[in-house]
Amino acid sequence: MADFLIAPSILSADFARLGEEVDNVLAAGADVVHFDVMDNHYVPNLTVGPLVCEALRKHGVTAPIDVHLMVKPVDRLVVDFAAAGASYISFHPEASEHVDRTIALIREHGCRPGLVLNPATPLNYLDHTLGKLDLVLVMSVNPGFGGQAFIPESLEKVRAIRERITAAGLQTRVEVDGGIKVANIRDVATAGADMFVAGSAIFGSGDYAATIAAMRKELAAAAGGAAAA
Ligand code: DX5
Ligand code: ZN
């Protein structure tokens, strides 16, 4: 029975009321806070840094914070986000000169490392890294903005990554980020994902609890289908 994690992306939250928004979405049943960090260099958008992560911890957020670094270079911010209370730290391999070193740096600082694969990034980045990762984050949109449409080819990629993880006997999580909605989350789970980022689908809905409950219902159906198969 898969243990599915729902990770709302704060990118679509009301930043003027961020602490309250995060409290509300966690009270509504979310498991993890997905924290999108953009630098106007690796991606053409600019969001928030370690100060805001630390502010959420000071506000009283105890849930895991899943930091998705869309920045180049990466390493300096790993250290800052670890100190700011990050739980997971994921980065894009194209943005680091030394991918293995960055993974080790995340682990050394007490966080769980993840590698992020863009829609056109090949799986060979996992060849020598998979055993060192807690998370593979599959981008199902091109990074930089919330509210984009899910790229359907991502499902095949999720399947291939899950096969590799299973074949290697690992417990690595497969997280999918971009365009996830109640209508497609079941297919993403069936393909092998167990961690789901959703920004606009949750924060753009009037009722966070109802949307998360509807997602859980779809996930339970995916788990039931897998059990029956
Ligand atoms: C995109 C970000 C995503 C984004 C997802 O670069 O990494 O986390 O906020 O937003 P939705 O769910 O609206 O596609
Ligand atoms: Zn993200």
Side-chain angles (χ1 to χ4, degrees):
M1 174 68 195
D3 141 44
F4 294 125
L5 298 179
I6 294 181
S9 162
I10 60 163
L11 193 59
S12 295
D14 177 354
F15 273 91
R17 301 166 36 244
L18 188 60
E20 189 187 332
E21 283 276 75
V22 169
D23 290 344
N24 289 345
V25 85
L26 289 168
D31 303 294
V32 170
V33 178
H34 185 79
F35 194 102
D36 284 308
V37 184
M38 306 185 186
D39 67 349
N40 185 38
H41 172 67
Y42 180 66
V43 292
N45 200 353
L46 185 64
T47 59
V48 287
L51 273 179
V52 176
C53 182
E54 191 181 4
L56 289 177
R57 287 298 187 211
K58 285 185 176 156
H59 175 74
V61 173
T62 55
I65 297 183
D66 173 31
V67 172
H68 174 191
L69 293 179
M70 287 161 274
V71 303
K72 184 178 181 174
V74 180
D75 292 4
R76 160 69 200 279
L77 284 176
V78 164
V79 178
D80 291 356
F81 269 103
S87 310
Y88 298 89
I89 299 181
S90 300
F91 68 100
H92 291 250
E94 298 92 338
S96 172
E97 296 291 346
H98 302 285
V99 172
D100 185 78
R101 179 180 290 158
T102 304
I103 294 170
L105 187 68
I106 295 169
R107 182 87 63 197
E108 276 161 25
H109 283 79
C111 298
R112 296 164 175 264
L115 213 52
V116 193
L117 302 180
N118 282 333
T121 302
L123 299 195
N124 58 16
Y125 277 107
L126 301 176
D127 285 354
H128 308 287
T129 57
L130 188 58
K132 299 178 176 183
L133 299 172
D134 282 14
L135 182 70
V136 178
L137 174 47
V138 177
M139 291 308 298
S140 41
V141 297
N142 286 292
F145 302 95
Q148 303 180 80
F150 184 88
I151 297 174
E153 288 79 2
S154 313
L155 290 177
E156 191 47 50
K157 207 164 183 181
V158 170
R159 270 191 282 274
I161 294 168
R162 177 55 70 194
E163 275 173 23
R164 278 199 189 201
I165 291 169
T166 305
L170 296 168
Q171 302 295 322
T172 325
R173 283 200 176 270
V174 180
E175 180 175 25
V176 179
D177 185 1
I180 300 229
K181 316 266 175 220
V182 173
N184 62 12
I185 197 169
R186 189 197 299 203
D187 290 344
V188 179
T190 303
D194 57 5
M195 195 163 167
F196 307 86
V197 178
S200 50
I202 294 176
F203 285 108
S205 74
D207 184 339
Y208 302 166
T211 304
I212 291 171
M215 288 179 165
R216 291 236 188 261
K217 202 170 159 204
E218 293 295 320
L219 293 175

